[in-house]
Amino acid sequence: LEIYDSSLDSWSTGTSMPEGKSDFAIATVGNKIYVIGGIHFSNTGSGTSVSSTYEYDAIIHNWNTKTNLPVSAFASSSIICRIFSLELP
């Protein structure tokens, strides 16, 4: 993980994601970054589509494993939504 500090106009290295992968979907909510699906490449160079989901907390600088996707996916886009239900009198 590379972190850009706009106030210092500089880059620093952050904590590595638990699994190296590419072609994932990414989304942010508040101070959290979600890395969803993607392709994991083995030492031989062959790629496997994965369903893993990770959350990076930009405040405490650590990764958490979240619930996997129901199916593996790569080269996809993401959208994070919240749906609220209000009960009116």
Side-chain angles (χ1 to χ4, degrees):
L1 174 68
E2 297 297 319
I3 301 168
Y4 179 69
D5 184 331
S6 59
S7 65
L8 299 174
D9 190 27
S10 66
W11 289 90
S12 62
T13 300
T15 307
S16 294
M17 192 167 38
E19 169 188 37
K21 57 183 179 173
S22 67
D23 298 297
F24 45 79
I26 191 165
T28 61
V29 177
N31 292 315
K32 305 219 170 142
I33 302 169
Y34 294 88
V35 176
I36 306 159
I39 297 176
H40 173 77
F41 288 95
S42 69
N43 293 338
T44 63
S46 62
T48 304
S49 180
V50 295
S51 61
S52 54
T53 300
Y54 299 107
E55 172 193 77
Y56 181 76
D57 187 315
I59 300 298
I60 59 175
H61 304 289
N62 76 327
W63 289 96
N64 295 302
T65 301
K66 305 307 279 184
T67 303
N68 286 351
L69 293 168
V71 296
S72 59
F74 66 95
S76 54
S77 59
S78 63
I79 184 167
I80 303 292
C81 297
R82 285 190 178 178
I83 299 173
F84 295 94
S85 174
L86 299 175
E87 290 187 28
L88 300 175

